[in-house]
Amino acid sequence: MRDFHGNGKKDLVVVNLSSNNFSVLASNGDGTFGAADTYPTGVFPFAVVAADFNGDGKADLALAMSMDNNIAVIPGNGNGSFTQDQEIDFQVGPEPHFVVAGDFNRDGKIDLAVANSASNTISVLINNSR
């Protein structure tokens, strides 16, 4: 859960595997959420993690696209919406099913680690943005 709307409330993002999309639900601040804003994705989004990948202070998303064998990084706008025309895709191993974010090389930038189910491997994506 992250604050995607910039209002201090932790919102919810979920992947919808069979619908090939993800949804963002804005927090009402009382444990309930508003209606979902839904965005299309590639084939079989299996996992999602939120972090500030591009260093602009806004929460972005990284989605593991199981059948596309890639990670889609989608910039957040800070108002609950995402800029899909600026999506960047990174090839990883077959059937990525889990993704985690962290500064693995301690350079101050958020990196990604991906568990690839079909090959029993891990892909590490080091963030080389500015």
Side-chain angles (χ1 to χ4, degrees):
M1 294 176 64
R2 296 279 301 224
D3 179 7
F4 297 110
H5 291 85
N7 60 6
K9 300 173 186 172
K10 297 209 177 203
D11 305 314
L12 182 65
V13 62
V14 296
V15 291
N16 305 304
L17 179 73
S18 62
S19 303
N20 295 327
N21 58 39
F22 71 91
S23 299
V24 179
L25 293 90
S27 173
N28 293 324
D30 61 2
T32 63
F33 296 89
D37 291 322
T38 302
Y39 300 84
T41 65
V43 181
F44 281 11
F46 204 88
V48 62
V49 65
D52 181 10
F53 297 112
N54 58 9
D56 66 357
K58 300 169 189 165
D60 309 310
L61 298 177
L63 291 93
M65 308 306 295
S66 181
M67 297 307 288
D68 290 338
N69 300 329
N70 72 8
I71 296 296
V73 177
I74 305 171
N77 295 318
N79 63 359
S81 67
F82 294 86
T83 308
Q84 287 189 286
D85 63 346
Q86 293 180 14
E87 175 181 316
I88 301 172
D89 296 332
F90 299 94
Q91 287 302 124
V92 294
E95 295 184 29
H97 280 189
F98 301 98
V99 58
V100 295
D103 184 5
F104 303 129
N105 61 350
R106 298 181 182 159
D107 66 353
K109 300 174 190 172
I110 303 298
D111 309 307
L112 293 168
V114 183
N116 305 302
S117 177
S119 63
N120 295 321
T121 61
I122 296 174
S123 300
V124 178
L125 304 172
I126 300 299
N127 187 339
N128 63 5
S129 65
R130 295 183 207 187

